[in-house]
Amino acid sequence: MFERRLYYHIDWALVIAILSLCSLGVVMIYSTTSDPTRGASHMHVTQLYAIALGLIAMVFTLTLDYRTFTDKSHLIYIGLLALLVYVMFFGTVQMGARRWIALRGFNL
């Protein structure tokens, strides 16, 4: 699954820089949204969930070999173009812009 040679080719300085920026962002969100008179906001917890999902996506993409997608790249490109055309004609309008595909639990 996770090859040993891939472990040695990860840029750990970049990963540490990204995690430190994420932690700084969480601290900033916490410091700006916490108000002792109105109670604590939980926006920083939402940001922590997003960071965790991003880390899971990062580990998942590290396990994939990018060369397996080279023969399927044309199909992926056509699929993405089809999604853009779908959004242009059938997308959901929010805040004055048509840019979302409404699914049952979330917007894409």
Side-chain angles (χ1 to χ4, degrees), residues 2-107:
F2 193 71
E3 296 181 20
R4 184 176 290 269
R5 65 179 171 84
L6 184 62
Y7 175 78
Y8 294 113
H9 289 66
I10 294 175
D11 189 3
W12 290 108
L14 181 64
V15 172
I16 290 170
I18 289 170
L19 290 177
S20 64
L21 281 174
C22 288
S23 63
L24 181 66
V26 170
V27 168
M28 292 298 290
I29 290 172
Y30 179 76
S31 69
T32 56
T33 58
S34 63
D35 187 12
T37 59
R38 288 189 285 165
S41 173
H42 296 289
M43 292 179 72
H44 65 283
V45 176
T46 305
Q47 186 69 19
L48 288 172
Y49 286 141
I51 291 169
L53 283 174
L55 288 173
I56 291 169
M58 182 185 75
V59 170
F60 176 72
T61 55
L62 279 174
T63 60
L64 298 176
D65 187 14
Y66 69 92
R67 290 170 282 201
T68 59
F69 294 111
T70 56
D71 57 342
K72 298 172 187 67
S73 64
H74 300 303
L75 294 174
I76 294 169
Y77 182 69
I78 290 170
L80 289 174
L81 284 178
L83 283 174
L84 285 173
V85 170
Y86 179 83
V87 167
M88 187 167 62
F89 292 113
F90 304 110
T92 304
V93 177
Q94 290 183 356
M95 297 180 162
R98 182 183 307 269
R99 58 181 165 206
W100 296 102
I101 297 175
L103 300 174
R104 291 180 193 248
F106 63 95
N107 291 332

